[in-house]
Amino acid sequence: MNSDPHAKPPTPTGGVADLATADPREHIEPGEAQRPMTMSYVLFLCAFFAWGGYYTQRYSADYGALSYDENAGIGSGKVVAAKPVDPYVLGKRLFENVCAKCHQPDGLGLPGQYPPLVGSEWAQAAGPARMIRIALDGLQGPVTVKGLAFNNNMTPHRDALNDQQIAAILTYVRTQKEWGHKASPVAPEEVAAIRAKTKDRAALGSWTAAELLALPEHEPKP
Amino acid sequence: MSATSPSILRALSPADSGDEVQQRALLAEIDASCRGTLMLFFGASVVWLLIGTAFALITSWKMHSPNFLADISWLAFGRVRPAHLNAVVLGFASEAAIGVTLWLMCRLGRVPLMHAWMVNIAGVFWNVGLAIGIGGILAGDSTGIEWLEIPGYASPLLFVTYALIAIWGIIAFRFRREKHLYVSQWYLLGALFWFPWLYSAAQILLIMEPVRGVVQAAVNWWFGHNVLGLWFTPIGIAAIYYFIPKVLGVPVYKYSLSVIGFWSLALFYNWNGMHHLVGGPLPAWLITVSIVASVMMTIPVITVGLNHHFTMWGHFHKLKDSPVLRFMVFGGMSYTVTSLHGILLALRSVSEVTHFTHSTIAHAHQGLYAFFVMVMFGAIYYIVPRIVQVEWPSARLIRIHFWATAIGIMLYIVPLTIGGTLQGFAMINPDVPFLDLNKYSVVTMTVPYLKMRSFSGFVILVGHLAFATSFVWIVARWIKAARRPQPAQIASHA
Amino acid sequence: MLFVSSVIVLPVAALWALRWAVRHGEFKNLDKTALSIFDDEEPVGRMTDRFPDAPRNSKPSRS
Amino acid sequence: MNYGPIIFLGIFLTIASSWLGLVLAPQIQFGRQQEIKIEETGEVYPPVRPGLAQQGMEIYKANGCIYCHTQQVRTEGYGADIARNWGQRRTVTRDYLHDKPVMLGTMRTGPDLTNIGVRQTSVLWHLQHLYDPQITSKGSIMPPFRFLFEKRKAGDKPSPDALALPKEFAPEAGFEIVPKQEAKVLVQYLLSLKANAPLPEAK
């Protein structure tokens, strides 16, 4: 059995303790008289309060109602250039989060509901002109993909995705390695050009397969 | 039989209560006066514990097999989860908390439970209000605000209860016969004062007259976090501060530390509600203030932790002999671990990963279950034999209960924390797809951890069933003993 | 208005309370309070909880 | 400390301070924030939610969608919210002025829905996904909300809003699945969730 449960630190009998109780008018530090608060503990407290004040002042973006970025005032000033992301990687991310919802992560779509992209002649067309239009303003009515008939509505992504994103997605789909796609990648400028050219298309509704097949695969240079 | 308690009017006017120090009531007399009320609260809390555990198992099972009970609209996941939360938080935890608070206030004030009628009415209101509220949630009337899902037609009943109990607390405090205010009583007074303010402010500002826009989220999480911080934590710590010294028969290590512990907890815990919204649509200063308050919580946590640990110093071998001590020490240590883990979660760089993931859920259960519920179990194991004067029928059931819940909650916390953190890393890496059946994706990688959680749920269920059997058994013996009038079996433990 | 005035009033009240507490010896002989939960019925040094099946005043029992 | 009133004063001061700091201060600072006019489009932002979408919000709230879906987009570079195209910009207080209750949510078991009305605008997809998430998202742990749909005998011609389902999910011959009003308004609510208007403070 170990020794007495726990040795109570010796309380100062004479000296300071008696003095304190003797003369209440004299201002006494709380707790100091009986048992000296260990200095390390006091430093522990002060360290925290100091850090707290510093952190609050530094990361509160001077308490603005509309300042959400805690590093607003403090940034090193130079705008760190966003490192360019490889379109294939960006396209893969966006495909998985946006397009995969209907065309499925494996790109095979749902029979009778959502057309497949793997080995689809639309996705492997020489020029991206039709795909860009589909991505921008959607597709409606009957369409045959790999000989299978579909009749569903593809929703427009004109204001959901910007040019760089659409270009990245189309580049990814057209050059998907596992699917063995070897079509040409798409540049954001091409998407921008077609977006400008078809800016009133949104009001007319989505493309139909017939309209698209009538258009050339490569967008004629203006 | 409750001691002749002064009438309400006289109770409130201290002037004529006379200054003779009424003789401090005997412990046995105090325990006897608490019997009816406490058995109402503890009995109801055991019922809510089983209901809450059932909801928990349904919720957990639905998490990894969504087709389970999918076509019953009132058991939809989105309704069973808030029902579980309210059944356990307002049902078991709060009722047990009130039972323990009543008993502690009487014991520490050395005064029998006066005006028991007031607290009994509060208990009835509570259970009726909660039953209606949870029924409302399952029927689809949830208010849609986390931690405040009880619909508007049931929450006033709950508020009446808190108000009655707070008033009772003040009266009991006013007429205590013990000059010294033990540390537990500061915490209890704090809890009894804080919670009605929190609940009424949140009800008014969120449900009756909703404030505009994201201020609702600020009020919601000021309330949400403080339910744990200013209601459960103070009562849990009050219980630990009372039961560990009481069971060991050893006074608290350094009482002056508890002064700092209490006031730093009161000040900092209040302020760290917004760490639930790190990165959210709130001005930076609001979130920064809460993060600072969360980190400053290290002071009370370390202080209280040390205080309890050194009180236990040299007595750890007694854990073998005392069930109450096991629950209390398990709860105390869980409190320290939870709080330090919580402080980490509040930091911006950590929150970027763990926010919105299952590790938040693991932390919530570690705080609520591993700390507070275990402490309440320990308190109930200490209080009930003393108030009904009947010993717990089976020590085996108590051991089953302790080991099942202790291991169960560990099986809950550890896998879910790991799983949640991995989920967090997967979620902030855009190259990991969110959902892809045949690739490493965020959703598919969390499923095995959710299955482990379901398993731990069943282990905890075993513990709860053992506890419920013990409780029913002791009530049966109490009724039998009450019918056979004979001298009380045991005065108090040798 | 309420906000600004309270930002002044609250800390002042807190400091006054602290000063009053120190003046009235609230922090003096704290350790006596630690003993307030013990009395002749349940004195210091006596364990007050054990497993129900443990013999009344036994030494260690089954874990 | 043995003197009750002082402890009560301390307890009162602590919660009064947090109530002022975390409840009153935000209310004063951005509690009365107004809508603003967007220069590019000239509309007032945030728009008032159309009636059907408002009813849909009640369904969203009643079925506890907030326990798995969030409605907040974190800033670029802090988490992958924008990289995953869950939003085109971070969300700010102005985005939620008309939400009663504001349902920011705390768990992302499912994706964030702040901008779902922009990235997934197909009503048919939403209805199929709500009927049984395994149709469109295999492996999803989202429960099917079949109780928001009605299975009834099909007349000789399928009714206009019968739900087109793949073979393995379609009802047996002679029956059709029709979305109840709750399902339709819920989809209208999801389509009303848009947070892509350019706001000066949300750069």
Side-chain angles (χ1 to χ4, degrees):
Chain A
M1 280 293 287
N2 50 31
S3 67
D4 156 45
H6 60 84
K8 218 196 277 304
T11 52
T13 48
V16 175
D18 300 343
L19 182 64
T21 48
D23 173 8
R25 276 191 315 287
E26 180 211 322
H27 177 69
I28 46 168
E29 271 313 301
E32 214 53 59
Q34 294 84 357
R35 197 176 318 190
M37 193 79 64
T38 50
M39 188 43 71
S40 57
Y41 188 75
V42 174
L43 289 180
F44 165 75
L45 296 186
C46 297
F48 266 96
F49 277 95
W51 173 85
Y54 157 75
Y55 187 92
T56 311
Q57 187 49 35
R58 188 169 196 289
Y59 287 110
S60 290
D62 54 56
Y63 308 98
L66 297 177
S67 44
Y68 298 94
D69 177 5
E70 70 274 9
N71 301 318
I74 313 149
S76 53
K78 62 169 174 49
V79 176
V80 55
K83 48 188 175 9
V85 176
D86 157 20
Y88 187 87
V89 169
L90 179 61
K92 179 176 180 303
R93 281 183 203 162
L94 290 168
F95 177 84
E96 276 157 0
N97 281 297
V98 179
C99 317
K101 295 288 185 262
C102 300
H103 294 293
Q104 300 306 303
D106 51 22
L108 297 173
L110 283 178
Q113 298 286 330
Y114 304 109
L117 299 174
V118 179
S120 148
E121 64 278 12
W122 293 83
Q124 290 296 284
R130 296 178 183 151
M131 265 183 102
I132 294 175
R133 283 182 168 72
I134 294 175
L136 281 173
D137 293 310
L139 185 84
Q140 59 180 333
V143 64
T144 59
V145 176
K146 287 163 60 174
L148 303 167
F150 292 91
N151 188 345
N152 204 339
N153 295 337
M154 162 140 176
T155 53
H157 288 79
R158 178 176 283 271
D159 47 22
L161 299 165
N162 60 36
D163 298 341
Q164 190 207 7
Q165 289 174 320
I166 292 180
I169 294 174
L170 297 186
T171 307
Y172 170 72
V173 169
R174 291 168 62 83
T175 61
Q176 227 287 1
K177 300 183 183 68
E178 284 106 9
W179 302 345
H181 285 193
K182 293 190 178 46
S184 60
V186 178
E189 296 71 25
E190 290 175 273
V191 178
I194 293 178
R195 182 192 285 268
K197 186 179 294 182
T198 60
K199 62 180 175 322
D200 48 17
R201 179 72 206 191
L204 306 172
S206 302
W207 297 90
T208 62
E211 282 172 319
L212 285 174
L213 290 174
L215 292 171
E217 287 184 0
H218 280 285
E219 195 60 21
K221 290 289 168 291
Chain B
M1 60 93 191
S2 76
T4 51
S5 52
S7 69
I8 287 287
L9 291 180
R10 218 172 127 265
L12 293 182
S13 54
D16 62 0
S17 73
D19 52 13
E20 93 289 342
V21 176
Q22 288 148 325
Q23 196 271 335
R24 289 154 37 129
L26 279 172
L27 292 185
E29 184 197 342
I30 294 171
D31 295 343
S33 71
C34 295
R35 182 172 30 231
T37 311
L38 256 63
M39 288 313 274
L40 160 74
F41 275 104
F42 288 150
S45 68
V46 169
V47 170
W48 284 115
L49 180 70
L50 295 178
I51 296 172
T53 313
F55 284 147
L57 291 171
I58 296 173
T59 312
S60 179
W61 201 261
K62 274 176 179 270
M63 276 296 260
H64 48 76
S65 34
N67 274 311
F68 173 61
L69 298 177
D71 291 340
I72 308 168
S73 72
W74 56 274
L75 277 184
F77 176 86
R79 304 187 190 185
V80 181
R81 183 183 186 269
H84 158 67
L85 185 131
N86 283 283
V88 170
V89 165
L90 299 181
F92 172 75
S94 289
E95 295 214 27
I98 289 177
V100 169
T101 308
L102 297 177
W103 187 76
L104 278 179
M105 291 283 282
C106 295
R107 269 275 182 123
L108 293 168
R110 282 309 161 89
V111 68
L113 191 120
M114 300 178 289
H115 309 302
W117 59 271
M118 182 194 287
V119 191
N120 292 338
I121 289 179
V124 170
F125 260 87
W126 185 295
N127 288 309
V128 167
L130 194 54
I132 297 172
I134 291 181
I137 291 173
L138 293 177
D141 298 343
S142 162
T143 59
I145 298 164
E146 281 194 68
W147 285 80
L148 278 165
E149 290 93 352
I150 299 275
Y153 48 75
S155 41
L157 292 176
L158 295 182
F159 177 70
V160 163
T161 325
Y162 301 143
L164 276 176
I165 285 161
I167 295 167
W168 176 89
I170 295 167
I171 294 176
F173 171 76
R174 170 64 190 79
F175 283 90
R176 69 186 188 286
R177 296 185 196 137
E178 164 64 45
K179 192 175 80 56
H180 291 291
L181 258 183
Y182 188 61
V183 58
S184 298
Q185 259 181 316
W186 316 335
Y187 281 105
L188 294 177
L189 290 174
L192 285 183
F193 179 80
W194 282 322
F195 194 69
W197 172 320
L198 281 169
Y199 194 78
S200 51
Q203 281 293 335
I204 292 166
L205 294 177
L206 285 175
I207 293 164
M208 294 166 192
E209 289 300 325
V211 285
R212 188 174 158 95
V214 178
V215 182
Q216 288 177 30
V219 172
N220 183 9
W221 288 109
W222 166 73
F223 168 77
H225 188 83
N226 282 344
V227 162
L228 185 76
L230 299 178
W231 171 244
F232 289 134
T233 304
I235 293 177
I237 294 182
I240 297 177
Y241 260 123
Y242 182 78
F243 284 112
I244 288 188
K246 200 62 173 173
V247 168
L248 291 177
V250 166
V252 171
Y253 169 65
K254 187 183 259 188
Y255 201 74
S256 52
L257 277 182
S258 59
V259 175
I260 296 167
F262 175 69
W263 289 116
S264 48
L265 180 129
L267 186 62
F268 296 129
Y269 226 122
N270 261 296
W271 277 82
N272 57 14
M274 293 313 126
H275 62 220
H276 291 265
L277 295 165
V278 175
L282 281 157
W285 70 269
L286 202 55
I287 294 167
T288 300
V289 156
S290 278
I291 291 176
V292 164
S294 307
V295 173
M296 300 293 263
M297 272 302 292
T298 321
I299 302 172
V301 165
I302 299 282
T303 311
V304 169
L306 286 182
N307 223 349
H308 293 157
H309 193 75
F310 287 138
T311 313
M312 277 297 294
W313 198 258
H315 300 283
F316 281 100
H317 61 280
K318 292 198 173 101
L319 283 172
K320 203 159 32 44
D321 308 330
S322 157
V324 173
L325 204 59
R326 288 186 188 184
F327 281 107
M328 289 296 157
V329 170
F330 185 90
M333 289 183 177
S334 300
Y335 173 66
T336 311
V337 171
T338 316
S339 300
L340 297 179
H341 180 217
I343 291 162
L344 272 182
L345 290 180
L347 301 175
R348 279 202 168 86
S349 43
V350 175
S351 173
E352 177 182 9
V353 174
T354 58
H355 198 18
F356 307 129
T357 65
H358 292 293
S359 77
T360 323
I361 303 287
H363 170 68
H365 281 83
Q366 190 178 21
L368 259 170
Y369 193 93
F371 158 52
F372 185 73
V373 168
M374 293 297 268
V375 164
M376 284 302 116
F377 285 146
I380 290 173
Y381 275 123
Y382 189 93
I383 294 171
V384 171
R386 282 172 176 70
I387 56 176
V388 294
Q389 292 302 320
V390 169
E391 193 38 81
W392 287 104
S394 151
R396 170 179 296 279
L397 278 177
I398 299 176
R399 286 194 186 90
I400 293 172
H401 175 206
F402 174 74
W403 289 112
T405 41
I407 295 168
I409 197 63
M410 280 304 132
L411 280 176
Y412 184 108
I413 293 165
V414 173
L416 215 52
T417 306
I418 297 166
T421 313
L422 293 177
Q423 176 192 9
F425 281 116
M427 198 151 33
I428 63 170
N429 169 5
D431 294 322
V432 173
F434 194 77
L435 170 64
D436 186 341
L437 209 46
N438 34 43
K439 259 194 266 183
Y440 179 83
S441 70
V442 177
V443 172
T444 48
M445 62 77 56
T446 45
V447 171
Y449 298 100
L450 297 174
K451 287 188 171 130
M452 281 187 237
R453 188 232 323 245
S454 290
F455 169 70
S456 78
F458 285 103
V459 174
I460 293 176
L461 176 68
V462 167
H464 289 175
L465 291 177
F467 178 55
T469 331
S470 255
F471 193 83
V472 169
W473 199 348
I474 196 170
V475 167
R477 281 202 176 173
W478 166 39
I479 292 167
K480 193 148 57 70
R483 217 173 284 117
R484 272 187 285 96
Q486 48 176 269
Q489 262 95 357
I490 43 166
S492 74
H493 288 269
Chain C
M1 217 338 261
L2 168 68
F3 184 69
V4 170
S5 53
S6 46
V7 164
I8 300 160
V9 165
L10 286 193
V12 166
L15 288 175
W16 171 82
L18 180 65
R19 189 178 158 284
W20 185 91
V22 169
R23 272 273 173 283
H24 285 72
E26 289 287 304
F27 302 106
K28 246 214 279 291
N29 50 48
L30 285 168
D31 285 299
K32 206 142 63 57
T33 327
L35 298 167
S36 68
I37 59 172
F38 299 102
D39 61 5
D40 38 26
E41 278 182 286
E42 288 172 342
V44 176
R46 172 149 36 100
M47 280 273 289
T48 58
D49 180 62
R50 51 173 175 67
F51 274 96
D53 60 3
R56 184 56 63 81
N57 41 32
S58 74
K59 281 290 152 277
S61 64
R62 279 184 294 105
S63 84
Chain D
M1 299 184 298
N2 296 325
Y3 190 63
I6 279 294
I7 295 180
F8 260 102
L9 179 66
I11 291 168
F12 169 78
L13 290 178
T14 46
I15 193 156
S17 71
S18 81
W19 185 79
L20 287 170
L22 298 182
V23 173
L24 191 61
Q27 169 62 17
I28 289 170
Q29 204 179 40
F30 52 89
R32 281 184 289 280
Q33 199 175 28
Q34 295 307 325
E35 295 80 359
I36 59 166
K37 186 187 283 289
I38 305 284
E39 310 81 20
E40 292 88 349
T41 56
E43 301 147 0
V44 170
Y45 183 85
V48 177
R49 217 179 285 287
L52 281 180
Q54 189 65 35
Q55 293 172 32
M57 192 205 72
E58 296 301 327
I59 308 295
Y60 184 95
K61 177 173 83 169
N63 288 300
C65 305
I66 56 170
Y67 296 112
C68 286
H69 292 286
T70 51
Q71 286 187 16
Q72 52 183 306
V73 178
R74 297 186 289 185
T75 187
E76 182 112 36
Y78 186 75
D81 300 22
I82 291 181
R84 284 186 181 281
N85 198 28
W86 282 340
Q88 285 148 328
R89 62 162 170 79
R90 74 160 301 144
T91 46
V92 290
T93 47
R94 214 182 294 277
D95 292 315
Y96 303 92
L97 289 187
H98 294 149
D99 289 356
K100 205 173 297 205
V102 169
M103 293 189 275
L104 296 182
T106 51
M107 280 295 291
R108 277 182 180 163
T109 314
D112 182 82
L113 298 179
T114 316
N115 217 21
I116 189 75
V118 171
R119 92 175 161 264
Q120 178 52 276
T121 53
S122 152
V123 172
L124 174 67
W125 185 88
H126 278 298
L127 288 173
Q128 285 175 336
H129 179 255
L130 281 173
Y131 179 69
D132 191 341
Q134 302 306 327
I135 300 173
T136 57
S137 329
K138 282 188 192 34
S140 166
I141 55 174
M142 170 165 164
F145 285 85
R146 286 190 283 266
F147 56 83
L148 296 180
F149 294 78
E150 192 191 349
K151 180 168 146 184
R152 64 178 189 212
K153 274 194 79 49
D156 40 21
K157 203 158 53 52
S159 65
D161 57 9
L163 191 54
L165 293 169
K167 276 187 308 307
E168 61 272 22
F169 294 95
E172 57 275 16
F175 284 89
E176 57 184 11
I177 302 290
V178 174
K180 290 179 185 158
Q181 180 63 10
E182 289 98 338
K184 292 181 192 157
V185 293
L186 179 58
V187 171
Q188 286 309 314
Y189 171 67
L190 293 175
L191 297 184
S192 78
L193 288 176
K194 293 185 169 73
N196 54 359
L199 290 177
E201 68 262 27
K203 279 292 162 297

